[in-house]
Amino acid sequence: MFLWTVLLIVLMSAIAYVAGRSRAAGLVVADGPRLHSLPSYHGLLVAAGAMLGGLALAILSALVLGTQSVVTPAAAVIGAAIAAVPLYSRSAADFRARNAFERVVLVVLVACSAVAVLTTIGIVFSVLFETMIFFRSVSPIEFLFGSHWSPTGTPASFGLIPLLVGTLLITVIAIAVAGPLGLLSAIYMAEYASPRLRNVLKPVLEILAGIPTVVLGFFAALTVAPLIRRTGEAIGLDVASESALAAGLVMGMMIVPLISSLSDDIINAVPQSLRDGSYAMGATKSETIKRVVLPAALPGIVSAFMLAISRAVGETMIVVMAAGLAANLSINPLDAVTTITVQIATLLVGDQEFDSPKTLSAFALGFVLFFFTLALNYIALRIVQKYREQYD
Amino acid sequence: MTEVRDELVKKRYASERRFRFYGAAALALTALFLAILLVDIVARGLPAFTEKTVALDVKVDPAEIDPAQLAGGNYDKLVKDAFRAEFPQVTGRAERKALGALLSTGGGDALRQMVVADPALIGKTVSVPVLLGADAGIYLQGMLTDLTTVAGKATLNIARLEGEEGYVLSGDTSGESAEQQLGLTAGQVVRFKGGALRVTGMQNGYVRAEAILPPELPVITLPAGQWDSLTFSVPESNRRISDAQAVWLEDLKSEGRIQTSFAWRFFESGDSREPELAGIRGALVGSLLTVAVALALALPLGIAAAVYLEEFAPKNKLTDLIEVNINNLAAVPSIIFGLLGLAVFLNFFGLPRSAPVVGGLVLALLVLPTIIIASRAALKAVPPSITEAALGVGASKQQAVFQHVLPLALPGIMTGTILGLARAFGETAPLLMIGMIAFIADIPQGFTSAATVLPVQVFLWSDLPEIAFKSKTAAAIMVLLVVLFALNAVAIYLRKRFDRRW
Amino acid sequence: MNAHVPHQTLVTPEKPRALASGQFKVTARDVDVYYGEKQAIKKLSIDIPDRAVSAFIGPSGCGKSTFLRCINRMNDTIPTCKVTGLIDVDKHDIYDPKIDVVQLRAKVGMVFQKPNPFPKSIFENVAYGPRIHGLAAGKTELDEIVEKSLRKAGLWEEVKDRLAQPGTGLSGGQQQRLCIARAIAVNPEVILMDEPCSALDPIATARIEELIDELRQNYCIVIVTHSMQQAARVSQLTAFFHLGTLVEYGDTDEMFTAPQEKRTQDYITGRFG
């Protein structure tokens, strides 16, 4: 039925276009008044009417009678006709079909822009709604400050703290890896590398940035984690097979391109005049970078780190595959810890019952994750914006 | 005074060199990580692109095949019987079972295809390549255990013990102990024509052994070169191929019966519980359907939104809000989009679980901000003089935008879209939420049939315990990366080809 | 329609000689233009005759380009720009909400400071306007319009064999003449030129100036220029702008020999500017 409806709407619109266009063309008479709009605009207007009218009535019928109803295609045809006929009969030499059509187009454009906003509203409401239901059975205090997480245990307990600590532990490891590597890479690329070298290095970072996280997770779980475990055993350390270190290291490598490309932009935005001032006093390149460029770029670099933290906190696949499920409250990087995203993914994979606290707790975790990353992103983007204005 | 200054300058230059080295080292480390990652994946994945078959002469017994239903015949039995016929000395129930287990459960497929294509083969004996099972396959690829084969350098006497289980092995009757003459130690396997024994230990200057494949004769004498000893680096209890199975496979290998061929099956079949039969076609089709939906939705929406925001939107609080919103949305963790899909599309609208159409919807929302941001940048790069020129001859603003600015911005928009597409293609987490993680063996038939996608297939396989699936996982990753690199290459090409300096 | 004050010569007591032949094509009364808070034009009134070249001169930032862009409402594209007062073209208020700005711009064409051909073929550049306005019934008619416009712009002989090549491949002077041909192709009555020669070399400039002189037989031409020599060479009337006001407007010869206003004289003799 869906296909038929679409086909019929397209067909009706095509008919409307041809009809509207030829009627307008027929209005042209020698020495008569000139058409205000090209005939094709008359056609487009009638066609737009047919399409929107058809869509509107088809959607209405689908909502009332269900998507499989035979009425839907019929409703599409009727809707198209109802909307198109008055527009068709309105065409006259001085009818401003172009202006009318352009208004329709503008409304469509505005509607498309609204989708992004609707997405945000959808996220906020879906997460908020389920979280509210969750808080009916588990108190927010217990959720936010509880130190035990065991959604499937009896009795189930929903304490966020171990997840938060696990998330932060892995994030700290990741940033400890990605921060220096990314920043130093960016400095080298922006200040030292020859254009030819840059042409080689940039794709390396772009490739790394483009590798799906599921691939990095596989690498972390199958190659990095055993390596760390074996190394640890060799020097007499007790390493969990799903250690936070393995997940954190690989996540750090994932974030290197993000920090380096953001920092690269920021360092390049520092005006040459500042550098020249430093060189003119006999400073070496590294002194100029350390004393002049980096302090000037600091706000931007801070925001790059914030975006990186947000990315690390929200990253799912690497931790699902390489970090554990056990909610240990530990800050030892060699222990297995779990994260917010791991728990969301585990709780929601498979069949869910929307009335159990287990499923709903995933939404509460999503709520925490969403607002945490949103706050980080928002502040970071504001800093970047401020920073750009400063040097524009 | 000058000396002190020279000292200082030296120090400063040293620090300069150090700093520069740190930068280079950081980049080198990153590149090294990428190289190790890629090499590791390729090394793991390459074996999955080949498959091992054994060439068998199979008599197509009319009793097992109903001519009216050619495809329904019991080809597996025919193939297994033919395989067992190769080892007539294997008679025990457990041994016969172990022998049969070397073949894939899909071992009869090739024969079925041949017979269905040519029913005249019924009743004849045909030579057909039969697929080996996953464990046999990876054993032959050397991934289960290392094997050292040493040809026997002395005469070997084998005698079955009377009254108790086992055999004694001895060399010739010279003074040296049998152990030294034969060079055998416990755990080694002695293979010869018609049987195989496992060395269990030493006793009274003799070598004690137990039967793996019991020889028919109670006493055998084998001259040097007629037997050999096999040493496995992994003990039998720790591997999925027993010593007996290993010996059969080694026999087949030394007869040149094992063939290695390119595993087209990997690209032609869907998921399976059996590693050697599992392929990525289902996931690949699922990915294509899902990404097609995402593209069909996100591209027009993204361009329209970008055109509005860049060219028509009045500067006010509302458009500022939309802009901030889009920038933030681009950085929201992808798993959150999965929650949205679950709560809104599945729970609220009741759309089907595991369907590409829902996956596409979620991915469309996920890449929409990326496409809008890239499109706006491309539109902004078109100089305003173009718009002015069009307006100057009396084009309306919309005519100027849609007839001049948008076509000029299109290569840039396409570049951004392809990069967004690549992201959608590699995305996993949100699709787990909406049920695209189920085991689905069939190739998805449409936008609403249950499906999985390539990255999720990678995730599913990586979780399975069989070694063969690890290799499959890496191979699926290779395909995924090839697709992504191809998409990126197209984007780079577009950027280079249509790069316009205004 | 709006009631009109009877036309009077502004600033100069005597009617410029050029006015005797034509009617006023463009008239403005008490025009104020704001960019946000900043006022760019203050209480400007002017009558511009048909079939003559009027030159706007004055120091940078004096509002001459701003006013020029008001005449075909190109300022609409700047969101913060606000225009009050009355501007008529052929006695129709062009800021009347009922006016279709698209049709206005077809009637009042514009040539810009920097040549801005579309990155399309020469033919497409000229044919674009006639197409969107539906001026040609068929291919042959369109060909005729393109040829006629290119001939009028003095470019036909140079490009007739390569109409399919991109307009951006022409030299700067040729590009500007292509833009003029593009403007002519939609049958405008007024052509606004915003420093059309400022990006061109002297030879190309001379060629454009010749063209402007030919075009004045059929069009009302308003040209903004930085060069007083150019104003003297091509225009019949000159308007001197300073700090957002119209200081003096009158016969070009008179303006350059005997300006009424001290400020005009100072500018022309190079005391400031």
Side-chain angles (χ1 to χ4, degrees), chain C residues 11 17 26-27 32 38 41 82 93 104 114 124 128 132 167 187 207 219 237 266:
Chain C
V11 187
R17 282 196 302 269
V26 180
T27 60
D32 288 317
K38 190 176 160 283
I41 294 200
K82 198 170 105 238
D93 176 5
L104 169 72
K114 257 181 75 183
E124 286 301 323
Y128 178 67
I132 59 169
N187 280 332
R207 192 79 185 71
Y219 303 94
L237 295 104
D266 286 350

Side-chain angles (χ1 to χ4, degrees), chain C residues 32-147:
Chain C
D32 288 317
V33 180
Y34 299 87
Y35 289 119
E37 295 294 301
K38 190 176 160 283
Q39 187 165 15
I41 294 200
K42 292 166 198 151
K43 290 277 168 269
L44 187 144
S45 298
I46 194 170
D47 293 301
I48 298 169
D50 200 2
R51 290 169 212 284
V53 179
S54 299
F56 289 1
I57 60 169
S60 300
C62 65
K64 53 192 191 304
S65 284
T66 299
F67 180 66
L68 187 79
R69 293 166 72 92
C70 288
I71 302 175
N72 69 345
R73 291 182 57 178
M74 282 301 280
N75 280 337
D76 289 14
T77 56
I78 302 161
T80 55
C81 180
K82 198 170 105 238
V83 180
T84 61
L86 187 69
I87 302 176
D88 287 2
V89 172
D90 278 343
K91 297 183 178 130
H92 293 297
D93 176 5
I94 61 168
Y95 280 88
D96 184 336
K98 277 184 289 197
I99 280 282
D100 188 350
V101 65
V102 161
Q103 290 186 313
L104 169 72
R105 288 185 192 143
K107 191 168 166 178
V108 184
M110 187 154 191
V111 176
F112 297 85
Q113 191 167 357
K114 257 181 75 183
N116 55 354
F118 300 126
K120 294 183 173 182
S121 72
I122 294 170
F123 182 88
E124 286 301 323
N125 261 284
V126 184
Y128 178 67
R131 274 218 187 100
I132 59 169
H133 293 295
L135 298 182
K139 174 77 177 121
T140 40
E141 213 173 310
L142 193 61
D143 287 346
E144 278 168 28
I145 293 177
V146 171
E147 180 177 342

Side-chain angles (χ1 to χ4, degrees), chain A residues 210-273:
Chain A
I211 288 184
T213 54
V214 70
V215 176
L216 295 171
F218 178 76
F219 183 66
L222 258 78
T223 306
V224 178
L227 191 73
I228 289 177
R229 204 172 132 84
R230 277 202 301 275
T231 316
E233 277 168 359
I235 56 172
L237 287 172
D238 188 20
V239 185
S241 61
E242 294 179 321
S243 63
L245 189 59
L249 276 180
V250 174
M251 195 187 278
M253 294 314 292
M254 173 197 85
I255 296 173
V256 168
L258 177 75
I259 291 192
S260 104
S261 80
L262 287 173
S263 307
D264 195 16
D265 289 350
I266 291 155
I267 290 170
N268 278 324
V270 173
Q272 187 62 33
S273 56

